[in-house]
Every structure is written in structure tokens, then in C-alpha cells.
Amino acid sequence: MSVLIAFISLVAERITGYPDWLFRAIGHPVTWIGRLISCLDRTLNLASSSGATRRLCGVLALLVIVSVPAAIAFAIETLLGRVAFGFLVTAILASSLLSQCSLGEHVEAVATALETGGLETGRKAVSMIVGRDPEQLDEAGVSRAAIESLAENFSDGIVAPALWLGVGGLAGGAAYKAVNTADSMIGHRTSRHEAFGWASARLDDLVNLPASRLTGLLIVVAALLMKGADAHAGWQAIRRDAKKHRSPNAGWPEAAMAGALGLALAGPRVYGGVTVEDSFMGEGGRRDAGAADIRRALKLYRIADMLLIALFGLAAAALWLV
């Protein structure tokens, strides 16, 4: 049933997304989790505490961050399981944990901004989806940043929550989203969060490991189905470059996307005025990306996303027959 719920939620979110009116009315699960994280950060992450104490408090905070949404989601799914077709309502609720529509819209907005408003407009659009300093980016840098974000967020925002929905139902999806949100908010190597966010960052690496591998493979298979993409180069880039990425997971989807499109992604980037050294994904590919390359990446992403939906559909059908 969990796999069926994941499949229905993928289909529903792909069609409708998360309605703006609903976000304005009640917010979003990520914003609710974010408030909990902010409260715990203010309460437990004290500058006067030692590093060891802050790390322990971070572990305790993570337990709360994960257990509260998971417990609420489990209770909801249990109650809905007692009514006819309650699994459909569960699937609709679970669709809020996915970001197929919003990811595509935000990345496409960068391509449109570059095409219609030039570099400054493109910088503003890409700043909505990446954390690096936009003023440091030329047009090629803006384009590569958008494509990198598309590849990484396909894994973190779609494939991973779908997998954990399939494994643990609504509770599994909510728990994953809590871990991922915690990593994005407190999992940074800054003076404030290096100790307190240590557990969140490490757990996020662990829970994203299977999804990142699957995402890379989905992109490679999608390249087989897309004219002008190179599936062999995508696979070779994964084998050669993914392990060189500073993230244990982001290298897989980024390398697959880079190789399939003939681009060189990642490499040195600037965050908060600090240059972060990283290896290139798709080493040897071109770096002069543009809006047309963003649109090619979006096409590849959408094919890969349909493959993901089909995969869950086949898995749900197979389990149903068993």
C-alpha cells in the first residue's frame, strides 16, 4: 500500500503541484517543520555552550525534528486507513512532500529570465534556488547553477521523498522531509551550526544515498530516450566524477546530467564570499552553458521524472498482484 500511495502522490503532484492558494492559507509542511527547527535552534544551540554540548543538543533536536512530523503523519495515515478509500486522501497529503512542479517552474524561470531580461534578471531568478553568491556569476555561471540545482533537487526533492514514502508510508515521507529540511537549515559548516547541525548533516547524507544513485541512473536512462543527449557519457561521468564531489550524494545526479548534456558542472563556487573548491562533474565538457542548455536539462529531467513515476507504477502493480 505504501508503494501505491507513493505512485498516486507522484501522479497527483505532477499534475497539480502544491496550490498557491493553499500555501497562502496554511503554509506548507516544510514551513511547519522549519518553524520547529528554528525554535529548537534558538532554544538549544547556545553560543555559551561547549562544542560537545552543542553537538549533543543537536542530536536531541534532530530526534524531536524527525519524531514529531513522523508521529503526526503515522496517526493521520492510521486514521485514514480505517475509512473507505482513505489511502487516496493519504496519497494527496503525501503529494505535498514532493516538488516536481515547483522545481521545474523555478528552473524554467531562470531560463526565461536570461532570455527576456538578461544577466541581472537571471541572477535574481537563480538566487531563488541556489545559495551561492549570484553577483559572482556570469551568464554561463547562472545557467550551470540552475542545471546543478535541477539535478540535485530532483534527487532530494522528488526521488528521495518518493522512495521513503514507498518504504514507510506517510510517516516515512514526513520523516525524510524533516531530515532534509533540518540539513538545509542547520546542517552548514558555520561557527553556529557546525556542532549543532552535525547530526542533521550526517543523517541527511545517509538517507539520501539510495535516492542519489537511483536519480543518476534515471537520468542516464532518460538520456537514451532524448534526442541529443548522451547516455553513455552520462554513465561514464558518474563512474569517473561522482566520487570526486564534495557531497557523497550530489555527485551522482550532477555527473549524470553533466555527461548526458556534454557540460562541465560543479567546480569551484562562491558562498557568502568564500570560495568552495570542488571537482568538475562531466570533466572535459563545455562550461559556456546558456538558457538553451537549461531547457535541455529540463527536458531530460521531465523524462527522468516520468520514468520514476512509471517505476513506482510497475512496482505497485507487481506488489498488488502478489
Side-chain angles (χ1 to χ4, degrees):
M1 188 61 72
S2 293
V3 176
L4 178 61
I5 287 171
F7 169 65
I8 296 172
S9 68
L10 280 164
V11 173
E13 204 279 331
R14 176 73 183 246
I15 295 171
T16 66
Y18 192 82
D20 289 338
W21 64 264
L22 186 60
F23 181 83
R24 290 192 298 269
I26 65 172
H28 186 276
V30 169
T31 64
W32 308 336
I33 295 168
R35 292 191 191 103
L36 174 62
I37 295 168
S38 295
C39 178
L40 292 168
D41 188 21
R42 290 193 305 270
T43 305
L44 299 178
N45 188 16
L46 303 179
S48 58
S49 300
S50 67
T53 299
R54 293 173 84 171
R55 180 173 290 198
L56 176 59
C57 287
V59 172
L60 296 174
L62 182 61
L63 290 174
V64 175
I65 292 165
V66 174
S67 61
V68 169
I72 294 171
F74 180 78
I76 292 172
E77 185 170 5
T78 300
L79 289 172
L80 289 174
R82 296 173 180 172
V83 301
F85 299 104
F87 72 94
L88 289 175
V89 180
T90 300
I92 297 302
L93 294 174
S95 70
S96 67
L97 304 174
L98 304 165
S99 58
Q100 297 162 106
C101 288
S102 62
L103 175 59
E105 289 169 358
H106 280 93
V107 174
E108 188 167 12
V110 180
T112 301
L114 287 172
E115 291 165 343
T116 60
L119 178 57
E120 287 304 318
T121 308
R123 285 172 173 169
K124 183 176 180 180
V126 84
S127 69
M128 303 296 292
I129 57 174
V130 300
R132 69 195 68 176
D133 297 346
E135 63 273 9
Q136 302 287 333
L137 301 174
D138 57 11
E139 182 174 346
V142 168
S143 300
R144 291 195 305 272
I147 296 169
E148 290 162 19
S149 180
L150 176 65
E152 184 174 359
N153 284 291
F154 179 32
S155 178
D156 293 357
I158 300 167
V159 179
L163 278 180
W164 287 107
L165 280 168
V167 170
L170 188 61
Y176 167 77
K177 207 65 180 178
V179 173
N180 190 242
T181 305
D183 177 62
S184 67
M185 292 182 65
I186 61 175
H188 308 293
R189 291 182 176 177
T190 61
S191 58
R192 175 167 179 78
H193 290 125
E194 178 141 22
F196 186 74
W198 172 83
S200 296
R202 299 292 77 75
L203 184 58
D204 185 73
D205 287 342
L206 181 62
V207 298
N208 275 299
L209 191 147
S212 64
R213 275 62 179 168
L214 176 59
T215 304
L217 295 176
L218 286 169
I219 292 171
V220 168
V221 176
L224 288 170
L225 305 176
M226 176 177 151
K227 184 177 180 181
D230 191 333
H232 177 71
W235 176 243
Q236 289 299 108
I238 288 176
R239 294 185 61 190
R240 181 187 64 240
D241 302 331
K243 60 181 178 293
K244 302 175 186 176
H245 200 286
R246 60 192 292 265
S247 164
N249 294 314
W252 278 70
E254 287 187 21
M257 186 74 78
L261 298 178
L263 299 172
L265 301 177
R269 287 157 287 181
V270 180
Y271 296 87
V274 178
T275 300
V276 175
E277 297 296 334
D278 202 357
S279 299
F280 288 108
M281 302 293 103
E283 189 174 355
R286 59 185 175 85
R287 291 185 57 76
D288 58 337
D293 293 297
I294 299 177
R295 296 197 180 279
R296 290 174 64 222
L298 280 164
K299 183 177 181 180
L300 187 61
Y301 151 70
R302 286 171 176 139
I303 296 172
D305 187 48
M306 288 302 298
L307 290 173
L308 175 69
I309 295 172
L311 182 63
F312 270 90
L314 290 172
L319 291 171
W320 189 268
L321 292 173
V322 173

